[in-house]
Amino acid sequence: MRIRAAVLHAYHEPLAVEELELDPPRAGELLVRIAAAGVCHSDLHLADGHLGPGRVPMVLGHEGAGVVEAVGEGVTHVAPGDHVAFCFVPACGRCASCAAGRRNLCEVASARAWAGTLLDGTSRLHRTGGGAVQHFNFVACFAERCVVPAASAVPIPDALPLWQASLLGCGVVTAVGAVRNAARVAVGESVCVIGCGGVGLQLVAAARLAGAGRIVAVERDAAKRELALARGATDAVDGGAGAVLERVPGGVDHAFEAVGSPATIRLAWDVLRAGATAIVVGIAPHGVDVALPAFELLAEKGIRGSYYGSGDASSLLASMAVLAADGRFPVADVVTHVTDLDGIEDAFGRLRRGEGARTVAVIDPAIAGRP
């Protein structure tokens, strides 16, 4: 079939919304009519060439939700008409990482994602005149429809509006998993969240869900600081380590970095108490280095990354969809802008300027619900 999609043809150039050919799903795959997609900084990183060469032409979008329209042979966990949200690591369950319980680091999925293909090493997207187009992280949901591996489609409750469900598959899973699995935040502990964009605001809410006693949000933008307070932060500051340490003398039990710059990663280190660990979820451009004071390792401080929830992303997504549908983990309040397929490039501009938190692109208003 023919679909409209937002295509990246070259780094540092605007996305082109154009018609592509989409092949039907093969065995182990399914076709989804896309309701809405979140515009994430990871999409922008790729568009700006920060994630390495050779990844064009590509349909971006990895955080979204929609309705199943057709399933390929062997797909039994969903049927046409089911509502799904997208998991962009369709874990194989057999590689060494999966066997160790680190399904977010699935080696098979990683290799195929980097190549821009589906799990069989081929693409379902083509230019109308011929030539394959890559899928971003198996999903490619800046489009009217997409074909994804079965493991990338997670069933969700019908009660959850699809425009809200579109926010689960990256920001919520990344944040809640970082708090639960990477940091293991305990009731009453202190937390610092650095950067309150789409993921940072979810980190604040995840820390609150975990029962953190003090949650200090660090953010330059005043409007985002207000959003952080509304999401559960006890303090919101625009300063550096000194401003945080005024609130939590001696340092915090957990620091989460959601920007991806050397300065903010260093800040996450500087606000730690002795024996604590900083968790970096922000994506720094390829080739960027971070310097830390080696002497402070004597205080047994640590730093580690957390990628896509540090565990079973699909299972976590399903459980958070239930919480969101029940109103126990609201997601709508992180949305500061709503657009459509043609407005995604403008959303990229806002991300570059640091304006707003999350933009939702409503691709199909008939099924997305009303933001």
Side-chain angles (χ1 to χ4, degrees):
M1 64 175 65
R2 288 195 174 189
I3 61 167
R4 292 178 74 241
V7 184
L8 176 69
H9 287 285
Y11 300 140
H12 310 293
E13 291 188 6
L15 300 179
V17 178
E18 60 190 66
E19 279 198 342
L20 296 177
E21 296 284 350
L22 179 64
D23 295 339
R26 299 181 185 178
E29 300 171 355
L30 54 108
L31 171 70
V32 179
R33 176 182 174 187
I34 299 167
V39 182
C40 178
H41 225 116
S42 298
D43 298 294
L44 179 62
H45 275 309
L46 197 146
D48 286 348
H50 295 163
L51 302 185
R55 310 194 71 183
V56 292
M58 175 179 280
V59 174
L60 298 182
H62 63 289
E63 180 183 73
V67 178
V68 177
E69 287 198 325
V71 300
E73 180 184 353
V75 177
T76 59
H77 75 297
V78 293
D82 288 350
H83 290 195
V84 296
F86 297 124
C87 170
F88 63 80
V89 179
C92 72
R94 299 179 300 275
C95 68
S97 293
C98 287
R102 308 182 75 176
R103 295 171 68 90
N104 61 307
L105 300 180
C106 174
E107 296 154 25
V108 174
S110 177
R112 295 300 188 220
W114 194 260
T117 68
L118 297 188
L119 288 172
D120 69 352
T122 65
S123 175
R124 305 291 165 268
L125 292 164
H126 308 275
R127 297 190 185 97
T128 54
V133 175
Q134 296 183 48
H135 304 247
F136 184 34
N137 281 353
F138 302 98
V139 176
C141 62
F142 289 170
E144 294 174 330
R145 286 171 172 81
C146 65
V147 170
V148 299
S152 284
V154 179
I156 58 174
D158 289 351
L160 181 62
L162 286 171
W163 75 269
Q164 295 185 30
S166 72
L167 299 167
L168 296 172
C170 180
V172 170
V173 168
T174 295
V176 176
V179 168
R180 287 184 183 176
N181 302 327
R184 301 182 184 274
V185 174
V187 173
E189 290 187 320
S190 56
V191 166
C192 177
V193 175
I194 299 166
C196 293
V199 173
L201 289 171
Q202 302 291 13
L203 282 164
V204 169
R208 180 183 181 185
L209 185 68
R214 198 73 178 263
I215 304 171
V216 183
V218 180
E219 171 57 53
R220 292 178 177 176
D221 183 82
K224 292 180 188 176
R225 291 199 299 274
E226 290 300 318
L227 285 171
L229 291 169
R231 298 275 297 163
T234 58
D235 305 84
V237 301
D238 65 355
V244 177
L245 295 174
E246 284 181 6
R247 271 77 176 175
V248 188
V252 297
D253 297 307
H254 306 279
F256 296 90
E257 195 278 350
V259 179
S261 77
T264 49
I265 293 172
R266 173 61 190 270
L267 175 58
W269 173 274
D270 289 340
V271 300
L272 294 174
R273 64 164 176 77
T277 297
I279 307 296
V280 178
V281 299
I283 299 176
H286 183 73
V288 170
D289 294 327
V290 176
L292 297 172
F295 185 78
E296 293 184 19
L297 293 171
L298 294 175
E300 297 189 4
K301 293 165 65 171
I303 188 166
R304 62 165 290 188
S306 176
Y307 177 68
Y308 205 29
S310 299
D312 188 339
S314 178
S315 177
L316 179 55
L317 196 165
S319 66
M320 294 309 299
V322 172
L323 289 182
D326 291 345
R328 289 179 286 164
F329 192 88
V331 295
D333 51 353
V334 305
V335 178
T336 54
H337 296 80
V338 178
T339 188
D340 57 15
L341 193 61
D342 296 289
I344 292 174
E345 183 60 39
D346 288 339
F348 279 1
R350 287 191 293 273
L351 284 174
R352 292 186 182 101
R353 296 189 298 272
E355 297 175 4
R358 208 40 143 215
T359 294
V360 167
V362 175
I363 310 297
D364 192 330
I367 60 174
R370 183 180 295 275

